[in-house]
Amino acid sequence: MWSWVAHRVTGVLIFFFLFVHVLDTALVRVSPEDYDKVVATYKTPIVACLEYGLVAAILFHALNGLRVIAVDFWSKGPRYQKQMFWTVMGVWIVLMVGAIYPVLGHAARVLFGS
């Protein structure tokens, strides 16, 4: 049940991110100076944390989507869906731990110095 809810929520969050991304990229044609100001705000530690959340949402949505495909198209999928869910969670946690430094490294250097 919760994986179903999380899959829908992450899908909606990813959709809104893509919508905002298209809007801010389109701003470059309207006003390059304003575009530069918007992009400058993306280099803050708060936005780095939001980017980490985006990575979390995309990874969970992708991995859970593969689990949903397996449940739908593999004849034994419904029988093993709980084990597949915990496998997805394990892989997601490992990948999220691996993403800490690449995504949040710059923010940590800004906040705490090099």
Side-chain angles (χ1 to χ4, degrees):
M1 165 71 179
W2 287 111
S3 66
W4 182 88
V5 172
H7 194 74
R8 273 39 180 199
V9 169
T10 56
V12 169
L13 291 173
I14 293 165
F15 171 77
F16 282 121
F17 163 76
L18 290 173
F19 181 71
V20 170
H21 179 65
V22 168
L23 288 178
D24 74 359
T25 304
L27 188 60
V28 77
R29 303 229 347 124
V30 177
S31 173
E33 297 82 20
D34 289 337
Y35 173 78
D36 291 338
K37 290 177 190 174
V38 169
V39 170
T41 64
Y42 293 162
K43 297 176 183 172
T44 63
I46 293 172
V47 174
C49 291
L50 292 173
E51 286 177 347
Y52 189 71
L54 177 65
V55 170
I58 291 171
L59 277 175
F60 178 81
H61 193 78
L63 293 170
N64 194 54
L66 292 173
R67 184 190 69 85
V68 169
I69 290 170
V71 169
D72 287 346
F73 292 107
W74 182 34
S75 62
K76 296 180 183 179
R79 185 179 316 150
Y80 295 110
Q81 68 177 319
K82 187 177 276 191
Q83 292 91 336
M84 287 189 291
F85 171 73
W86 288 112
T87 302
V88 162
M89 291 306 295
V91 171
W92 180 75
I93 288 170
V94 167
L95 290 174
M96 288 309 298
V97 167
I100 289 174
Y101 181 74
V103 178
L104 296 176
H106 176 70
R109 285 188 297 277
V110 168
L111 289 174
F112 306 114
S114 352

